[in-house]
Amino acid sequence: MLPLASEYLSAALPTLAEYLAAGIASQSVAIRGIEEMCNWACWSRKKQPIQEWMRSVLDRRANIGYARRSIPLPPALIFDSDVGLLRVVHRKLTDPTSELWMESRLTSDLRLLYGIRNTVVHRGERILSRRMAAYLGRMGLEVLFAVMEARMAKTLPRRLTRQRN
Amino acid sequence: MSRRRDRLVGFTYDETTGIARFSMYVPGTAGHDRKRATVQADSYDEAVRLWSAFRSRAADGLTRPSPEAPTLRDFITDFFPSIEANVAAKTARDYRYAIDRHLLPQLGALRLTDITSGVLNQLSARLKAKGYAGATVNNYVNVAALLLGYAVEFDVIEELPLKKKVRRQKANEPCLELSVDERARFVAAFDDEEGFRRYLAEKMPKAKPAVAKDARRLGARRAYGAGMRNDSDAARDYFNRFQRSKDLFLVALETGIRSGDLRHLVRRNIDFTEGWIRFVQQKTDREVVIPISRECRLALERALGDREAGPDEPVFVTENGVPYSVSTMQRHFKVAKRIAGIKRRLRSLRQRLRLPEPLAYWVDYWLFLHAAETHSIWRVRPLGLRLIAKTALVDVPNTNAQLLRQLADEAIAAARITPFLPGIPVAPSSAPVQGSRWHPEWMRWFETLLRPDTSSILLHDFAVALAEALETHDYTQASFITRRLAAELVEHEWSDRALFRIVKTNFCDANTMEVFSRAAFASLLVDAFSEPRGTKYRAAIELAPALVWPRFERILEKPRRLRVEVVDGGKTMLRGLTLEVTASHYDEAAAIALDELRDVLERLRLFHNVRTHAIGAIEVTRIDDSRIFTVDLPQPFWTAGSGRRRDVPHVPYYQLVRSHRLTPSEKTRWQAAQWHVSHSLAILGRGYARRRFPHLAGSGKLRRERSARDQ
């Protein structure tokens, strides 16, 4: 089960980046919607790949870099040089040996999930809190489904894997 | 031939033939562009009028209208009365405004056949460039397109000249819902006579002292232009009139009925016995049925209480017995907002943009940790020190070696926070686990952590450490402390939603911190998360009415009070759900109730094929003092609509199963696995399954496919 962690990360990291980019774009629209100025450069799936956009906006010298797009001040949560989520994802995508906390956290979670499963199955007792159990269950499902989807995308024709609307 | 020449430049008129010739150089073309026209005029005055029209057309760069189709101006003059007859008075007024204010000045001289998609797109771009909102621009362009449609309908032109798609500007959706506090203040404003008098004192025009012409005769200085005095009898009467309209606004808040419909609501539209308001909407001509909530019922009863209203008499009337006018309603709305201090549009986002930087970072991070959409790898991990200690001392069997080792690693990781928390002893330096047992030093340390007073000490120390890290802009440290704090709060059994809302309400919506202050932040944090728990609340949630099996309550694990009614034919109609919950705050009570509700809705859908949903606001009653709070259904933080952006992982779709790649045995195994997953998701509930895996969990389509296959 543990090798799933790295497989999940390689499948999910681009979607993590896209999620953040989409969040920034919708935030930008909402800011303009209340008639405030906003000059952030937003990602468009049709215009450029996510990695290219990330490289541009995180580059201090780039014209569309967030160091230069400061109306309003870009959220530190996303762009801070140390803890900014987009920088973390970018670092991980460009260098898989960095940000090892991701593998570590996933592995720990999967071990805990396996542990509480064994306790429930073999002793019929619940341990940890309900919230922790819900968190682990959700994390497990997310890992499983993401890995299944990634494997299917590699092996099956697109028409069989596309989402139903 | 007598030819009359005048001093008008570029103008000649021949009285005998009645022919006038015009000529002018278009301004701004340095004489390169010259316009000429020859027209027939009955008189000199008529010729001058045509010459004037020619010059204004030429100056605007417009061509002369063709006799084949009238200009928009002529069309409006001749046909607007016919258009007006087809629509409601207010709609006609709105059309007229758009026509007079924007369409005629810009398109009035164009003939109808020349108003093409390109012309409308240019109009749209011009209006947008002037700063009009997208929705406003679209409205004006819609009116222009609609007038062209009428022109075709009235046989003024043969066909619609709009051959291409007219560009739509992006419209901003309204996001102006009242927050819980704002709603409470808005309603309270109608009973706040002091506030009303303060409003009059501030708002009413002040007298301008001046010596009157007849001052000598009257023997005094006089003042002119004063408004109503705030301590006068007139002010009291005005307040009484204002207060009387409270029920009108209460019903508006509870039901969301449009103001026009509300003002014209009549007695026969209301059925107190069945608990409905039923009427045909003016705007859409569609009938709507709205359930009456408790607060709505009280307001309606008050509005009708002082008179015997006939079936066709309006529900809401002024003291003179006439329905409220638009202007009165708008005036009272503005006054109430002013007294309640509501000034914002999309308050949350505006507030967020004004937060000082360290606080903004922390609020963003906290909301991100607890938001439903956040990926699991980033979400808060609800495994705090005290939970680990409790698990180590009580729960974990020593035989489960792998779990024991993992918990030991978790304990070491969590203990890294202790240097920031002076109130608790430092973690032991020895290895937590020896063989298959916890080290005695660690056991003693765990016991220290589980003392009753440790919880408050932890919270205080966390708040101080976090405030210090934020003040020094050390976001790495602040993030670490924030994650550990969120993990510790798991022992309070706050749901993620409650943690999300508590911070959003206290640190964003109600924040008054213009400059980050360490002491103020720490104090606010401790206050937000240490409110005494144990207060009992009763949360009542209205559900969209749905027919249910009479004894369906058996499916529910916990005792819940479902509000049902027996309707015609002995059928049972589900109307709502009432829950008693323990919480520290009415907002938290609503969050817990919503979590419970999701469980109920999932079970109804899966086991009874009953689909319903929450409607209106949640009414939360504090049981000890019967105070009632109204909490809106949760909205996304700062986006309009659902705010959903995440494409979530999903199990392979059913096309895979139907393909030839699976053997019959694999198909059977796949379907069995799918059933197990859907069942476990149904029990897990919590809305996650419904939102994330809508195609699972026994969806209607899968069931239909399955039953068709079985047959």
Side-chain angles (χ1 to χ4, degrees):
Chain A
M1 191 167 63
L2 297 181
L4 285 180
S6 54
E7 193 175 351
Y8 165 74
L9 278 178
S10 59
L13 272 172
T15 63
L16 292 180
E18 288 179 7
Y19 171 63
L20 291 175
I24 293 162
S26 74
Q27 187 65 95
S28 165
V29 169
I31 289 172
R32 283 195 288 268
I34 57 167
E35 294 158 15
E36 298 266 352
M37 288 280 289
C38 182
N39 68 351
W40 300 349
C42 298
W43 174 63
S44 166
R45 189 186 296 272
K46 292 175 187 168
K47 286 183 183 169
Q48 61 186 147
I50 184 71
Q51 298 221 32
E52 193 179 308
W53 176 81
M54 276 200 296
R55 205 166 37 245
S56 305
V57 294
L58 295 177
D59 186 350
R60 288 189 167 276
R61 295 163 300 175
N63 190 33
I64 65 164
Y66 274 77
R68 297 186 181 199
R69 301 293 181 106
S70 55
I71 305 174
L73 209 59
L77 175 68
I78 309 291
F79 295 106
D80 184 80
S81 54
D82 295 324
V83 295
L85 299 174
L86 201 63
R87 289 190 189 275
V88 169
V89 176
H90 185 57
R91 280 198 291 267
K92 186 70 180 171
L93 279 170
T94 50
D95 177 12
T97 59
S98 64
E99 305 293 340
L100 291 175
W101 63 267
M102 291 187 176
E103 282 90 350
S104 167
R105 173 173 169 155
L106 276 172
T107 310
S108 302
D109 283 347
L110 291 173
R111 281 203 180 107
L112 283 174
L113 183 60
Y114 187 58
I116 66 170
R117 176 261 177 202
N118 283 344
T119 313
V120 171
V121 170
H122 298 308
R123 293 181 60 201
E125 291 176 3
R126 291 178 177 178
I127 59 165
L128 297 178
S129 65
R130 181 186 167 98
R131 260 187 73 200
M132 186 64 188
Y135 161 77
L136 290 174
R138 173 178 166 165
M139 185 275 310
L141 281 173
E142 202 162 309
V143 168
L144 279 176
F145 290 158
V147 169
M148 286 166 77
E149 194 177 355
R151 287 184 187 176
M152 275 181 59
K154 282 180 190 168
T155 56
L156 291 176
R158 186 171 168 74
R159 68 185 168 79
L160 291 177
T161 59
R162 68 170 179 264
Q163 189 163 353
R164 291 183 309 185
N165 292 317
Chain B
M1 187 175 76
S2 65
R3 177 170 292 187
R4 178 172 173 175
R5 286 183 177 275
D6 266 345
R7 283 174 293 173
L8 295 174
V9 178
F11 172 87
T12 59
Y13 177 64
D14 189 337
E15 284 178 346
T16 53
T17 59
I19 291 175
R21 291 191 171 82
F22 312 143
S23 165
M24 77 171 283
Y25 290 100
V26 179
T29 61
H32 291 294
D33 194 358
R34 185 182 184 190
K35 299 286 181 193
R36 292 177 178 179
T38 303
V39 298
Q40 188 78 34
D42 293 338
S43 65
Y44 176 77
D45 292 339
E46 169 74 359
V48 171
R49 192 183 65 75
L50 292 174
W51 173 76
S52 179
F54 161 78
R55 283 185 65 87
S56 60
R57 272 201 314 276
D60 290 340
L62 303 174
T63 55
R64 188 173 46 169
S66 155
E68 294 165 3
T71 62
L72 180 66
R73 191 180 300 279
D74 293 340
F75 174 72
I76 293 297
T77 309
D78 296 339
F79 289 93
F80 191 75
S82 307
I83 297 170
E84 203 172 9
N86 283 332
V87 294
K90 181 173 183 310
T91 311
R93 206 162 56 239
D94 291 345
Y95 285 175
R96 194 72 233 190
Y97 177 82
I99 290 165
D100 293 342
R101 183 85 175 80
H102 296 288
L103 301 184
L104 286 186
Q106 302 201 45
L107 312 176
L110 289 181
R111 61 186 178 186
L112 294 176
T113 47
D114 289 343
I115 302 178
T116 59
S117 306
V119 172
L120 290 190
N121 286 338
Q122 286 175 35
L123 171 74
S124 167
R126 278 198 299 273
L127 290 171
K128 188 70 183 167
K130 281 183 183 175
Y132 286 93
T136 312
V137 174
N138 290 342
N139 280 343
Y140 295 152
V141 172
N142 284 347
V143 173
L146 181 140
L147 291 174
L148 293 174
Y150 273 114
V152 175
E153 193 178 311
F154 295 152
D155 287 335
V156 179
I157 53 177
E158 286 295 318
E159 58 180 5
L160 205 62
L162 306 177
K163 302 298 180 196
K164 289 183 295 184
K165 190 176 175 184
V166 177
R167 181 186 163 85
R168 309 280 302 170
Q169 298 289 345
K170 191 162 188 174
N172 302 317
E173 294 177 24
C175 312
L176 298 173
E177 71 278 4
L178 291 173
S179 70
V180 178
D181 282 345
E182 283 172 341
R183 182 190 168 107
R185 278 188 279 134
F186 179 78
V187 175
F190 289 94
D191 298 321
D192 183 4
E193 188 166 355
E194 286 292 313
F196 185 81
R197 289 181 187 275
R198 272 199 306 277
Y199 159 78
L200 286 184
E202 289 167 13
K203 188 73 181 171
M204 283 294 164
K206 305 287 183 293
K208 293 175 183 165
V211 179
K213 288 176 185 171
D214 52 357
R216 189 174 299 164
R217 183 167 60 83
L218 294 171
R221 288 170 65 88
R222 297 187 66 186
Y224 293 93
M228 188 186 296
R229 279 206 339 256
N230 66 328
D231 56 350
S232 63
D233 291 344
R236 194 188 58 234
D237 292 345
Y238 186 10
F239 175 72
N240 289 339
R241 290 197 299 275
F242 170 67
Q243 193 178 33
R244 187 186 173 90
S245 65
K246 177 182 176 182
D247 296 327
L248 174 76
F249 289 102
L250 267 175
V251 174
L253 284 173
E254 285 290 308
T255 59
I257 298 176
R258 292 187 186 90
S259 67
D261 290 331
L262 200 60
R263 285 184 291 106
H264 296 112
L265 198 68
V266 293
R267 178 64 186 84
R268 67 178 156 78
N269 294 141
I270 300 169
D271 188 337
F272 284 112
T273 318
E274 293 285 326
W276 302 109
I277 299 174
R278 185 194 293 264
F279 62 94
V280 177
Q281 300 174 89
Q282 285 181 359
K283 182 171 181 176
T284 59
D285 276 339
R286 287 184 185 164
E287 187 181 68
V288 64
V289 181
I290 300 170
I292 299 176
S293 67
R294 184 174 166 276
E295 202 167 346
C296 177
R297 177 185 292 270
L298 291 174
L300 288 169
E301 285 172 354
R302 276 196 302 271
L304 292 165
D306 58 351
R307 63 206 159 96
E308 281 294 324
D312 290 323
E313 287 185 28
V315 177
F316 300 105
V317 292
T318 64
E319 59 178 2
N320 298 325
V322 295
Y324 281 90
S325 66
V326 178
S327 59
T328 306
M329 196 172 169
Q330 286 178 348
R331 191 170 58 250
H332 288 188
F333 181 58
K334 280 182 185 169
V335 172
K337 276 204 305 180
R338 174 88 178 233
I339 295 171
I342 300 169
K343 297 173 183 171
R344 64 93 183 97
R345 296 173 70 84
L346 198 53
R347 175 182 172 156
S348 287
L349 180 51
R350 283 192 193 281
Q351 288 284 91
R352 161 62 188 82
L353 292 176
R354 280 156 185 68
L355 290 182
E357 176 49 34
L359 183 58
Y361 169 76
W362 184 75
V363 168
D364 282 350
Y365 190 43
W366 186 273
L367 299 182
F368 188 75
L369 281 176
H370 295 95
E373 268 192 354
T374 305
H375 293 71
S376 293
I377 198 166
W378 275 327
R379 282 178 70 79
V380 64
R381 204 156 169 264
L383 188 61
L385 274 174
R386 282 167 64 90
L387 180 61
I388 295 172
K390 182 171 170 292
T391 311
L393 290 176
V394 182
D395 290 337
V396 178
N398 293 333
T399 49
N400 195 339
Q402 195 175 21
L403 181 59
L404 194 65
R405 278 200 302 278
Q406 186 55 43
L407 279 174
D409 290 347
E410 298 291 343
I412 292 170
R416 283 170 43 218
I417 192 68
T418 52
F420 299 99
L421 311 174
I424 62 167
V426 178
S429 54
S430 57
V433 173
Q434 289 182 328
S436 61
R437 295 190 177 279
W438 288 96
H439 193 286
E441 283 184 10
W442 280 85
M443 295 292 269
R444 279 194 292 280
W445 188 64
F446 287 151
E447 283 167 4
T448 317
L449 291 178
L450 291 180
R451 284 182 193 150
D453 60 338
T454 312
S455 180
S456 58
I457 294 171
L458 271 175
L459 181 57
H460 176 267
D461 287 354
F462 265 116
V464 171
L466 184 55
E468 196 173 319
L470 288 173
E471 191 178 41
T472 55
H473 287 70
D474 185 348
Y475 290 150
T476 309
Q477 192 170 309
S479 305
F480 172 62
I481 298 171
T482 302
R483 285 195 299 274
R484 296 308 327 168
L485 169 64
E488 287 306 321
L489 289 175
V490 69
E491 68 166 321
H492 295 278
E493 294 180 359
W494 269 312
S495 65
D496 284 345
R497 181 185 292 274
L499 291 170
F500 184 101
R501 288 188 71 111
I502 286 170
V503 164
K504 181 172 174 291
T505 307
N506 290 300
F507 289 86
C508 188
D509 292 350
N511 178 59
T512 54
M513 207 185 293
E514 291 181 358
V515 179
F516 184 79
S517 155
R518 183 165 66 170
F521 175 79
S523 164
L524 202 57
L525 194 66
V526 171
D527 288 348
F529 291 114
S530 63
E531 284 185 41
R533 289 171 62 81
T535 311
K536 293 264 185 193
Y537 289 93
R538 185 182 303 115
I541 304 170
E542 297 278 343
L543 296 176
L547 287 174
V548 288
W549 179 55
R551 297 167 71 188
F552 77 105
E553 292 178 41
R554 286 182 179 182
I555 64 163
L556 305 176
E557 284 176 346
K558 295 179 186 173
R560 295 166 172 122
R561 289 166 55 191
L562 289 159
R563 284 187 287 113
V564 293
E565 280 179 10
V566 178
V567 294
D568 295 342
K571 293 177 181 171
T572 307
M573 175 87 76
L574 176 63
R575 299 292 297 277
L577 175 71
T578 306
L579 292 160
E580 286 192 7
V581 296
T582 305
S584 62
H585 189 262
Y586 63 85
D587 215 4
E588 188 198 349
I592 295 171
L594 273 177
D595 278 349
E596 295 280 333
L597 172 71
R598 286 206 187 86
D599 197 13
V600 174
L601 295 183
E602 283 294 314
R603 284 168 178 280
L604 283 172
R605 189 167 66 80
L606 287 169
F607 293 96
H608 291 276
N609 200 22
V610 172
R611 288 169 187 269
T612 180
H613 57 271
I615 54 173
I618 305 169
E619 190 179 273
V620 181
T621 310
R622 192 171 156 148
I623 292 175
D624 55 0
D625 59 3
S626 301
R627 274 196 292 161
I628 298 173
F629 307 92
T630 308
V631 182
D632 292 328
L633 292 176
Q635 300 287 337
F637 181 44
W638 52 51
T639 55
S642 71
R644 182 176 162 184
R645 295 180 299 273
R646 183 175 166 193
D647 187 17
V648 292
H650 45 75
V651 295
Y653 290 113
Y654 194 64
Q655 285 93 322
L656 171 66
V657 182
R658 287 194 298 194
S659 74
H660 298 295
R661 289 172 182 269
L662 296 184
T663 63
S665 154
E666 285 172 332
K667 279 184 186 175
T668 309
R669 279 164 50 206
W670 169 254
Q671 281 160 4
Q674 196 174 36
W675 184 88
H676 281 292
V677 171
S678 67
H679 195 69
S680 62
L681 288 175
I683 292 165
L684 180 66
R686 301 284 159 201
Y688 181 67
R690 182 172 54 82
R691 290 196 303 275
R692 298 289 177 261
F693 313 108
H695 55 287
L696 270 185
S699 70
K701 187 170 182 184
L702 276 180
R703 264 199 307 278
R704 282 195 298 277
E705 286 173 347
R706 203 173 296 146
S707 63
R709 197 170 52 250
D710 292 344
Q711 286 167 8

